[in-house]
Each structure stands twice: as C-alpha cells, then as structure tokens.
Amino acid sequence: MNDLFLRVCRGEAVERPPVWLMRQAGRYLPEYRAIRSGVSFLELCKSSELAAKVSLQPIDILGVDAAIVFADILIVPDAMGVELRFEKGDGPSFPTPIRNRDDIARLRHPDVEATLGYVFSTLRVLRAELDGRVPLIGFAGSPWTLAAYVVEGGVSTAFPRLLAWSYEDPSAVVTLLERLADTTIDYLRGQVEAGAQALQIFDTWGGLLSAERWRSLALPSMQRILESIPAGVPRILYLRNGGHLLEVLADLPVEVLSVDWRVPLDEVRRSCSSVPVLQGNLDPCTLLAPIEVIERETARVLEQGSGGGHIVNLGHGILPQTPVEHAKAFVRFAQGGGSRLVAKPADAALPNH
Ligand code: CP3
C-alpha cells in the first residue's frame, strides 16, 4: 500500500515526496483517447465504469502516487440548472449564462445525490478497484472560478463579464458565489462519504483579482467551503497565477497549498509559513522539452520544495500534446529524486577526481 501522499498531507516526514499530475487522466494518453472516441466528454463523466477506468490509467501507465476522480469542475453549475455543453473542439459553454440578479434567483440548490451521484459512484468504484494501492483525491472548483465560466458563458482568458459585474455590483457577485458554495459544500461532503481521501479546490482564475478584491469577493465563500470539510480530510487549495495573493492565502484553513511555476516553492514557504505542505510546481510546458531538461527542472522543483512537506506536481494541468514518455520521465525522476538530487548543475561541472 502506498500512502505517501496522505502521510505528507498530514505533515508526517516521508522517505520521498509523492508525485501526481493535475489533469493526469486526459487526452495526452492514447488509452484515454481510445475510450473518449466512443463517447462524449459528459457521457464519460457520467458513466462511473468508464470514468473509473480513465482515472486508473495514469496509476497504471505513469505510476503516480495518487489518483484523482475523473469529472469536471463545471458539472456543479450544471446541477444547479445552468446547462453545460461541451461542443466538439470548442471547450465548455453555458448557453444560458448568469448575468443579473434574476438569473441568480433562478439557480437551484439541488439534491447532490440525485444530480451529481454519478461522481459519488465513480469514487466508490475507484476505492474498490484501487484497493489501497494509492490514495484517492476528490475535487471541486472554487466559487470564483465557477462564476467566471457561468457569467462569461464559456471559456476566456480574461473573463471580462464577471470582472465588470464585480465592480458594478459586488454584492450580487458575492451572492452568486455563496450560492455556488452552498452546492459545493454538499457535493464535497458527498465525495468524502463516497470515499475521497483528500479534496482539492481548483481556483484557476482567482489570480485575476487584486489581493484586496480577492479578500472581499472570493475569500468568504472559499473560507466557508474549507471550514465545512470534515476534520481529518486534507484540504488542498490550488491557485493559478496567485503570487500576489500569498499574504491573503497564508491565513486560510488548508493543509496543502498548490501553486504554479511563477512562484518558487521556497519563497512560498517563507510567505505562507502557516501552511504546512506545498504542492507543485513544474511548468507543464517543460514536459514538451527534451528529457534532460525535464530532469533538470524537476531537480530544481525538488530542491526548492525540500524545506518542508512537498507533493510534486505540475503548476497547472498537463497539456494534451505532452509525449507520454516525457510524463513518465517526470514521475520517474521525481520518485528517484531524493537520491539524484545531489547531481546539481554545479556538482556536475566538477571533475571526476
Ligand atoms: O485531473 C484529472 O485527471 C481529473 C479530471 C479533471 C478534468 N477537469 C477533466 C477534463 C479535472 C480535475 C478538471 C478540472 C478543471 N476543469 C478545471 C480546473 C483546473 C484547470 O485546468 O484549470 C477547469 C478550469 C475545468 C474546466 C474545463 N474542462 C475546461 C476549460 C475544459 C476545456 C479545455 C480542456 O482542457 O480541454 C475542460 C475539459 C476537460 N476536463 C477535459 C478533461 C479530461 C478534456 C475533455 C475532452 O476529453 O475532450
């Protein structure tokens, strides 16, 4: 049984840092594409048998130290009545976006068992199939990140509609975030009951806010979600592009903070000394470079993370064009990294005797 991941989350000293990859079940794997070619993305999420199968692929193929349930953050607003579509090649869209107070009033507070029960059954199937091989992670999106998509109506890199609305009527936006949090709280509790052993909250777009606005807009609903998670279940907060938010994050009740490659882990550890464990933070683009570069950059991440609890991961999801051999090289190097860390560039330059 490999419980390295859970032991690190609990703050225990371990023989080596565990490693997994955000979006580790996905299109870069031919085995994923084979299953996906027969079904739509949402059908795949809703079939617990197939979803469990793709969740297990990176465990068997890459040998990562944790599994994450296959689902998507955007199924939560869908369950609340904001219809989600995945059109071929276009990414997710919400044809009836939430843009005003009347739209917010129409949101449902659904029974999560009835609307999202398929994720709970995937978790149950996974726990049985994993049989203790590696721990199982559940997840949800942060209210702010979900709001970015439901207000915009689809993907964007700047989410101008949510940002404009948050300047114009911040209290309406806070109400929207609280409604999203209500369902997320039920959903995460259901995941724990179904067997999730740790929970990650993805705040992919929180970095769009200044620290002051993150505190007033995004923090209250985030805090409520984190505090609602049953005691003993490690909470991981992933924040993309949030170097300017470290001071705000330092006070949040989380066991693990996951950051992207823009902030070195040793600096994060100094700014957030109250957070015991860090996760990250290799730039996913590194995995497109030759294997020697992947090893060098992974050594740097291991070195920068070595001052305390560390879960090795990417700084964002793995890219679909990543060669599988490169993902394997990352995992292999991270898992052998404790002993290989001695081969730093400076040492490598020394003569052999
Ligand atoms: O990590 C895993 O292996 C578990 C599954 C998982 C998916 N999405 C599956 C997925 C997880 C944890 C997510 C999280 C997610 N989804 C986030 C937060 C993390 C991040 O990447 O920022 C966000 C913002 C989404 C929303 C989403 N889902 C977008 C914008 C897209 C389209 C872009 C893309 O990456 O394809 C998706 C689709 C999606 N979610 C796919 C997968 C495997 C690809 C769908 C396909 O097979 O066509």
Side-chain angles (χ1 to χ4, degrees), residues 25-56:
R27 286 164 297 181
Y28 75 103
L29 286 176
E31 293 83 352
Y32 171 86
R33 293 198 301 270
I35 291 181
R36 177 70 171 77
S37 66
V39 288
S40 73
F41 175 66
L42 285 175
E43 281 166 350
L44 179 49
C45 292
K46 288 177 184 177
S47 155
S48 293
E49 191 208 333
L50 291 180
K53 217 170 178 168
V54 297
S55 304
L56 291 171

Side-chain angles (χ1 to χ4, degrees), residues 281-303:
N281 64 346
L282 188 80
D283 184 342
C285 293
T286 314
L287 296 188
L288 307 180
I291 287 180
E292 326 66 277
V293 177
I294 296 171
E295 295 192 342
R296 187 190 70 212
E297 293 302 311
T298 307
R300 187 207 302 276
V301 166
L302 285 165
E303 171 78 32

Side-chain angles (χ1 to χ4, degrees), residues 24-25 44-45 47-60 64 66-71 117-139 187 191 193-198:
Q24 63 189 13
L44 179 49
C45 292
S47 155
S48 293
E49 191 208 333
L50 291 180
K53 217 170 178 168
V54 297
S55 304
L56 291 171
Q57 287 175 343
I59 319 303
D60 296 331
V64 286
I68 182 162
V69 65
F70 191 83
Y118 57 90
V119 178
F120 306 153
S121 70
T122 306
L123 284 160
R124 283 189 288 267
V125 173
L126 274 171
R127 276 301 291 277
E129 294 199 357
L130 283 166
D131 195 23
R133 251 193 303 163
V134 291
L136 177 57
I137 305 169
F139 71 90
Y187 178 50
Q191 290 191 40
E193 281 163 23
Q197 292 163 289

